[in-house]
Amino acid sequence: MKKRLVIILAPLLNFLSGITYDLHAPSLPAIARYFNAPISLAKYTIPVTLLGFAISSIILGAVFDLKGRKPLIASGLSIYAFASFAAVFSPSIQFLLFMRFIQGLSIACVSIGCRTIIFDTLTGHQFKVAIIYVSLAFGLGPILAPFAGGYIQHHFDWQANFVVYGLVALILLVVYLVFIGETKHTRDVFSWKNTIASYK
């Protein structure tokens, strides 16, 4: 049963990663108007998230092996939810950009973590199926997100997209903690030599 849940939950985790970058894209003009800021500055809410993701991804691989999956995935989802809800109350465009950067840092934990739990729990055909689903889920995110975001923007304004970010993260956090939890029960010993070799 746990393996089936991994096949279901891991793609959902990566789908959140996929929609993170442009669910709110249709709201960019509304965001610019709200903060009385140039649209060019509002557009930075997308690349600043990618920057956070990239920075976080550089170090997370090794940390996942040292600290385990549960604390990082749970922390990532929690911080992501916090940043999403905080963005709703942004007093300035600069604060919103910072929250988007935090979203990028934290969603990397989720995107990388969903793959680590697959490696920990699945083998053979199930492993191949899960990896395909995870990749497909991420790919569908940027395609479907603008359509959903446009609908949300039309009916509820730009803040609602960030509420959706936060609610999805909280739901996935609860499901993950209740049904999956830790999948790596041994910890690697930190070694600069092995770490540097891995990065090379």
Side-chain angles (χ1 to χ4, degrees), residues 56-69 72 112 116 184 187-191 194-196 198-199:
S56 190
S57 296
I58 292 173
I59 62 171
L60 279 177
V63 178
F64 265 108
D65 289 335
L66 294 172
K67 300 297 183 180
R69 307 346 183 178
L72 289 175
I112 295 173
T116 63
K184 183 177 176 61
R187 301 289 185 272
D188 293 351
V189 178
F190 180 76
S191 166
N194 292 340
T195 301
I196 293 171
S198 295
Y199 278 107

Side-chain angles (χ1 to χ4, degrees), residues 2-16:
K2 184 176 181 179
K3 291 183 178 182
R4 292 181 181 178
L5 287 171
V6 169
I7 294 175
I8 296 171
L9 181 61
L12 291 176
L13 290 170
N14 216 28
F15 183 73
L16 175 61

